[in-house]
Amino acid sequence: MTPSWYDGPLAAFDTETTGIDVERDRIVSAALVVQETPRSAPRVTRWLINPGVEIPAAAIEVHGLTADHLALYGRWPAPVLEEVARALATQSVAGRPLVVMNAPFDLTLLERELKRHRASSLAAYLGAHPLHVLDPRVLDKHLDRYRKGRRTLTDLCAHYEVELTDAHEAAADALAALRVVRALGQRFADRLQGIQPAELHTRQALWYAAQARGLQAWFARSGSPETVDPHWPLRPELPAAA
């Protein structure tokens, strides 16, 4: 019997950054984790980037990567981003779904960095093999929508009993997100039965848009001016200023 996708080969991607603005902030570290089965040893690739810009204190507090450390051990962005994009394309060619927690952040920031440093896009590297993204945050919110509480990676790990050590280190976060998706798949196997990653990718885009509309309505009721982008897993480029 062919194993379900959540028991088969998965990859996971995560970044650490200079901040939370996908249009302006930069990637300082990234990791790709590949695991063939739940019991296989994960294969981990890590990248450190010297972004050539100031690292805000708030970001250093989160991931601990200082400008001095990145100047010493990081590499310039252009060749690293080339390697990252090619590594993700390799996963697509191999047919491995890619787990990305809060995909619109990491993948959009990667997209902007590729444009900035490679004059390219993720789609250009993927070619005829699009990513099939699995976002634990979107999946969990849809499959267990009435559960109260936050849904950060730390929260999801606690809920699905997944160990998270060294949080905010890209490889540790990627591996934890991958394990959350496996646990989530097992828990909701009856509802996910027969849905392949390609179809699940399409459904998550719809689920995320609905979730975004719900959050936008909540902001409106609360009198908050904050806006929620409904696009998943990539946000569109902002129009250029006139």
Side-chain angles (χ1 to χ4, degrees), residues 77-94:
V80 178
L81 292 163
E82 173 86 8
E83 289 175 17
V84 170
R86 288 187 181 279
L88 296 190
T90 297
Q91 304 315 308
S92 288
V93 170

Side-chain angles (χ1 to χ4, degrees), residues 11-235:
F13 177 69
D14 189 71
T15 65
E16 297 300 329
T17 68
T18 60
I20 59 172
D21 185 337
V22 296
E23 304 299 335
R24 295 181 178 84
D25 281 306
R26 310 297 175 90
I27 297 172
V28 294
S29 73
L32 178 68
V33 174
V34 179
Q35 189 186 42
E36 300 303 328
T37 72
R39 291 181 176 80
S40 301
R43 304 192 301 276
V44 179
T45 306
R46 292 178 174 88
W47 295 272
L48 272 183
I49 296 177
N50 179 2
V53 300
E54 183 182 347
I55 316 294
I60 296 171
E61 239 180 81
V62 172
H63 51 59
L65 296 170
T66 64
D68 287 346
H69 181 84
L70 293 169
L72 198 58
Y73 299 106
R75 296 158 56 205
W76 290 116
V80 178
L81 292 163
E82 173 86 8
E83 289 175 17
V84 170
R86 288 187 181 279
L88 296 190
T90 297
Q91 304 315 308
S92 288
V93 170
R96 291 190 195 94
L98 184 71
V99 175
V100 190
M101 174 72 184
N102 192 18
F105 177 77
D106 291 78
L107 293 183
T108 303
L109 188 50
L110 174 61
E111 178 82 355
R112 303 300 187 261
E113 287 278 63
L114 286 168
K115 181 180 180 182
R116 184 179 291 124
H117 295 288
R118 304 294 315 180
S120 190
S121 67
L122 192 52
Y125 287 91
L126 295 172
H129 301 277
L131 288 175
H132 296 152
V133 177
L134 301 171
D135 188 331
R137 187 176 182 182
V138 177
L139 291 168
D140 174 72
K141 199 168 183 179
H142 178 79
L143 294 165
D144 198 359
R145 69 181 68 184
Y146 299 113
R147 190 177 81 249
K148 300 293 185 184
R150 286 152 46 91
R151 298 179 196 247
T152 66
L153 180 59
T154 301
D155 298 316
L156 295 185
C157 285
H159 182 71
Y160 289 99
E161 299 179 346
V162 169
E163 184 180 3
L164 174 58
T165 56
D166 203 11
H168 299 298
E169 191 274 324
D173 285 358
L175 180 58
L178 187 152
R179 287 174 170 159
V180 165
V181 164
R182 290 201 189 280
L184 188 151
Q186 291 281 359
R187 186 169 299 187
F188 295 101
D190 56 332
R191 294 173 62 186
L192 294 170
Q193 189 173 15
I195 306 176
Q196 295 306 309
E199 183 184 348
L200 202 50
H201 178 107
T202 301
R203 291 193 187 191
Q204 284 171 100
L206 299 173
W207 297 341
Y208 183 85
Q211 292 163 11
R213 287 195 298 272
L215 183 56
Q216 189 69 74
W218 185 85
F219 281 140
R221 289 194 301 272
S222 305
S224 170
E226 192 165 346
T227 59
V228 185
D229 192 310
H231 297 90
W232 181 99
L234 271 178
R235 297 175 189 168

